Amino acid sequence: MLLIKRNRDLILVISAFLGTTPLQNPVHAGEKTIIAHRGASGYVPEHTLEAVAMAHAFGADFIEQDVVLSKDHVPVVLHDIDLEPVTDVATKFPIRKRADGKYYAIDFTLAELKSLNVHERVDPKSGNAFLTNRFPAKSGQFQIPTLEEELQLIQGMNHSRQKSIGIYPEIKSPGFHRNAGVDISKIVLEVLKKYGYSTKQDLCIVQCFDWSELKQIRKLGYQGRLVFLMGGRRMKLDETSEPVDFNETTMREIAKVADGIGPALQLVADQKYKPTNLVADAHKAGLIVHPYTIRTDMKRPGDTNPANMFKVILDDAGADGVFTDQPDAGVNWKNSRTK
Ligand code: CA
């Protein structure tokens, strides 16, 4: 045990000397990283401060924030650029929808966004919850938090609970925001800097699906960790190129900008739970791999125990961490594994 601790200390010393740190929280060095997806969203409406507090109490290593901007350009924590799947916007502001029938956060001031009630995710057409075993869709009083409010809560609990739980903000739809005349990355990075997140030593990983935006984030001078989110097996590395396969060569291109990738689960393990070569290719290029999203209340075909996915993704496929709606299940799996 002492030897293991010494080795970890040694890794931290060497990493500090090299100007890098292991990609997990220092207190969890060498362990798998459990990322609370939209907070403890399996139990409390996603991205509410209540869901954040619960994820913190569960002992997740990182807590995720999806970030969009209000009309007055305040970063708020919300998964979509439109409001109707998780709020009562259609009732409170019925005439504010656009021609496509959607209510966009960027059309509402922060004060207006704060007047909305947040609820469990529903299909806006039917009003029915997507997952009926979760928090009842039509009950509870919750608000959209600003990014700052959420960082204050996490840092406050890190202090009072003597923890070092990290943040994992995602820049949402940078092109949409640019079309609205605003640079979301620039605004979010300023908030992160204000709260002490600007280097690879800080417990913050910024994620984005948009490859050109990740490069832009580096041009803006951000030196912290970046994760490139991947929804499919192929991508364009620039606007004019043809889509390329993800393999060791393209992973090395990604590694020039990003520290890791965030692939969909099915890119890491197939429907029969057989690992693909994605994690190995990423690791050869020095990238960490944090797939999304394990939901223990959503069974895949043939699933007997969805919590087995933690073993499939983290042990069998060898990913470094995983996003999950049930961070307690991830932490429990990790604790039972290390006993
Ligand atoms: Ca996200």
Side-chain angles (χ1 to χ4, degrees):
M1 193 63 209
L2 186 63
L3 190 63
I4 291 170
K5 188 179 178 305
R6 275 194 184 150
N7 278 343
R8 285 182 188 171
D9 289 347
L10 191 62
I11 290 167
L12 287 171
V13 168
I14 292 169
S15 300
F17 179 73
L18 294 172
T20 60
T21 53
L23 283 147
Q24 290 84 4
N25 301 22
V27 290
H28 302 294
E31 295 179 8
K32 302 290 185 180
T33 301
I34 302 297
I35 306 145
H37 183 245
R38 312 181 198 170
S41 58
Y43 308 105
V44 183
E46 65 186 48
H47 286 320
T48 58
L49 292 181
E50 290 83 351
V52 172
M54 196 169 190
H56 203 283
F58 280 151
D61 300 304
F62 283 81
I63 301 173
E64 188 206 23
Q65 301 77 33
D66 291 308
V67 185
V68 304
L69 297 181
S70 68
K71 188 176 186 176
D72 38 354
H73 298 170
V74 179
V76 296
V77 185
L78 189 72
H79 180 262
D80 304 309
I81 52 176
D82 54 328
L83 293 154
E84 62 282 357
V86 295
T87 75
D88 58 352
V89 65
T91 310
K92 291 219 172 88
F93 297 97
I95 62 165
R96 300 278 292 276
K97 64 182 170 198
R98 291 193 190 177
D100 62 3
K102 294 183 175 185
Y103 299 82
Y104 290 89
I106 194 90
D107 295 337
F108 293 82
T109 65
L110 179 63
E112 288 170 336
L113 293 177
K114 281 288 182 186
S115 75
L116 300 176
N117 194 48
V118 173
H119 54 64
E120 183 63 32
R121 178 167 287 271
V122 299
D123 173 355
K125 288 202 177 82
S126 67
N128 295 330
F130 283 106
L131 292 159
T132 51
N133 50 344
R134 292 195 172 186
F135 199 90
K138 295 191 174 75
S139 65
Q141 293 291 318
F142 304 100
Q143 260 193 344
I144 296 173
T146 66
L147 178 60
E148 286 208 52
E149 286 165 350
E150 183 156 336
L151 301 189
Q152 286 166 11
L153 179 64
I154 291 170
Q155 293 193 346
M157 290 187 295
N158 278 347
H159 178 77
S160 60
R161 301 188 64 233
Q162 291 291 294
K163 302 286 183 191
S164 50
I165 290 170
I167 64 165
Y168 214 127
E170 179 181 347
I171 309 283
K172 300 297 283 195
S173 304
F176 170 86
H177 285 94
R178 196 162 284 117
N179 287 340
V182 60
D183 184 341
I184 181 172
S185 293
K186 190 162 179 283
I187 290 173
V188 170
L189 295 181
E190 279 166 10
V191 172
L192 296 182
K193 191 174 179 191
K194 178 179 169 187
Y195 284 83
Y197 304 108
S198 56
T199 74
K200 292 187 203 247
Q201 280 72 47
D202 304 319
L203 292 175
C204 172
I205 303 176
V206 173
Q207 43 167 341
C208 192
F209 274 103
D210 187 320
W211 174 246
S212 56
E213 190 68 16
L214 286 176
K215 290 190 283 186
Q216 180 59 23
I217 288 169
R218 287 292 184 225
K219 281 186 194 148
L220 287 169
Y222 183 67
Q223 295 180 340
R225 291 182 180 128
L226 288 179
V227 155
F228 174 44
L229 297 170
M230 293 169 30
R233 282 211 64 90
R234 290 162 66 80
M235 64 172 268
K236 287 182 170 185
L237 281 177
D238 63 61
E239 313 239 312
T240 54
S241 69
E242 290 300 308
V244 294
D245 284 318
F246 288 116
N247 53 34
E248 198 184 327
T249 308
T250 43
M251 292 291 183
R252 289 194 190 284
E253 283 301 304
I254 294 168
K256 290 176 185 170
V257 175
D259 303 277
I261 55 169
L265 287 185
Q266 62 267 26
L267 299 180
V268 171
D270 68 18
Q271 282 296 320
K272 291 178 177 162
Y273 308 114
K274 186 170 170 285
T276 67
N277 55 3
L278 191 85
V279 174
D281 285 345
H283 282 171
K284 281 182 211 156
L287 293 164
I288 54 154
V289 184
H290 287 167
Y292 64 91
T293 303
I294 293 180
R295 296 181 168 97
T296 60
D297 55 350
M298 276 179 78
K299 283 189 175 182
R300 300 208 306 184
D303 259 353
T304 48
N305 177 7
N308 285 343
M309 283 303 284
F310 290 105
K311 176 183 176 294
V312 168
I313 297 298
L314 295 171
D315 270 346
D316 301 350
D320 305 281
V322 71
F323 289 84
T324 176
D325 287 0
Q326 285 87 7
D328 55 332
V331 171
N332 287 343
W333 173 83
K334 197 162 84 167
N335 290 342
S336 65
R337 176 178 173 269
T338 49
K339 260 176 202 159

